[in-house]
Amino acid sequence: SNSISLFGSTSSSNCICLNGYFKENSGKCIICPIGSYCIHDIQYSCPPNNTSPLGSSNIRNCLCDNKSFLPLR
C-alpha cells in the first residue's frame, strides 16, 4: 500500500511510492521520517538546521529548526 502503478502493470516492482513515502530495501513504501522529504521512492534530507514533519513530500516542508534561531536582544 501507499503506492501507485501505471495502468497495465503486472508486477509489484512497477509500483511507485506515493509522495511522502520512500521505498526501503524490501520494496515496501514507508512514511517519510521527520527531518526529510520523500518524492517517488526516494528520501532526501532537509538542509542543515532545518526539519520537517513526518510524511513530508516537498523541500518546502523543511523549515528552520528552533535550535538554529538566535535569541532577540
Side-chain angles (χ1 to χ4, degrees), residues 35 46-53 56 58-69:
C46 286
N49 300 316
N50 281 250
T51 191
S52 65
S56 293
N58 193 302
I59 193 168
R60 285 180 258 166
N61 298 127
C62 298
L63 302 173
C64 287
D65 188 336
N66 288 336
K67 293 176 255 174
S68 66
F69 288 108

Side-chain angles (χ1 to χ4, degrees), residues 5 8 12-13 19 23 32:
S5 63
S12 62
S13 65
N19 286 337
K23 192 175 285 187
C32 201

Side-chain angles (χ1 to χ4, degrees), residues 10-23:
T10 59
S11 171
S12 62
S13 65
N14 295 10
C15 293
I16 298 171
C17 296
L18 298 173
N19 286 337
Y21 292 82
F22 72 99
K23 192 175 285 187

Side-chain angles (χ1 to χ4, degrees), residues 1 3 5 13 17 21 23-24 29 31 34 37 40-41 46 48 52 61-62 72-73:
S1 67
S3 62
S5 63
S13 65
C17 296
Y21 292 82
K23 192 175 285 187
E24 67 174 4
C29 294
I31 194 162
I34 292 170
Y37 61 100
H40 299 301
D41 299 344
C46 286
S52 65
N61 298 127
C62 298
L72 295 174
R73 294 178 187 221

